[in-house]
């Protein structure tokens, strides 16, 4: 089965497939990288103001189309939840500082996650950074 279109994915998540939403989702779907909002703004094929990008990304995150990560500088990075990614349980990511590629690392052990159950955790980000084997 081929890759689902951005328009179809938006409809599946009951979001209207506007030109701006489709362009933004296609940008994220076509890359193994995670992007900061400023990078998204520069790479988009159509003109979208920063506030609309931010709101749209938040909408995508709320419906599970996008994962947010925070890098060592405190900058939020956003990547598309490919089918194989969203099926994984809680897991860390590795981001190459050279090429920007994001790699999913193995799921965290159940014993680790059980230890966290005693806390009310609002958000959890696991991002390791370094240089990948290809760079």
């Amino acid at each position: 089965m081929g890759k689902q279109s951005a328009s179809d994915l938006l409809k599946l998540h009951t979001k209207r497939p506007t030109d701006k939403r489709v362009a933004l989702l296609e940008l994220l779907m076509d890359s193994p990288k995670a992007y900061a909002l400023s990078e998204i703004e520069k790479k988009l094929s159509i003109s979208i103001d920063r506030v609309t990008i931010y709101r749209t990304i938040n909408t995508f995150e709320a419906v599970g189309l996008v994962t947010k990560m925070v890098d060592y500088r405190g900058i939020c990075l956003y990547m598309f939840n490919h089918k194989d990614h969203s099926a994984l349980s809680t897991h860390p990511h590795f981001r190459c500082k050279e090429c920007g590629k994001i790699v999913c690392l193995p799921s965290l052990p159940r014993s680790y996650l059980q230890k966290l159950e005693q806390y009310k955790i609002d958000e959890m980000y696991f991002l390791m950074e370094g240089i990948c084997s290809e760079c």
Side-chain angles (χ1 to χ4, degrees), residues 121-133:
I121 298 172
D122 294 322
E123 297 184 57
M124 191 168 14
Y125 305 113
F126 295 104
L127 181 65
M128 297 172 211
E129 295 184 309
I131 308 298
C132 73
S133 60

Side-chain angles (χ1 to χ4, degrees), residues 20 23-25 27-28 34-57 75-78:
K20 292 176 181 181
L24 182 48
L25 190 55
L27 170 70
L28 296 172
Y35 294 108
L37 288 174
S38 59
E39 293 173 303
I40 292 170
E41 190 176 18
K42 291 175 190 171
K43 290 189 171 288
L44 278 170
S45 59
I46 63 174
S47 179
I48 306 175
D49 66 90
R50 185 172 286 145
V51 172
T52 301
I53 293 170
Y54 180 74
R55 287 181 179 157
T56 303
I57 288 287
I75 295 174
C76 293
L77 303 170
Y78 302 91

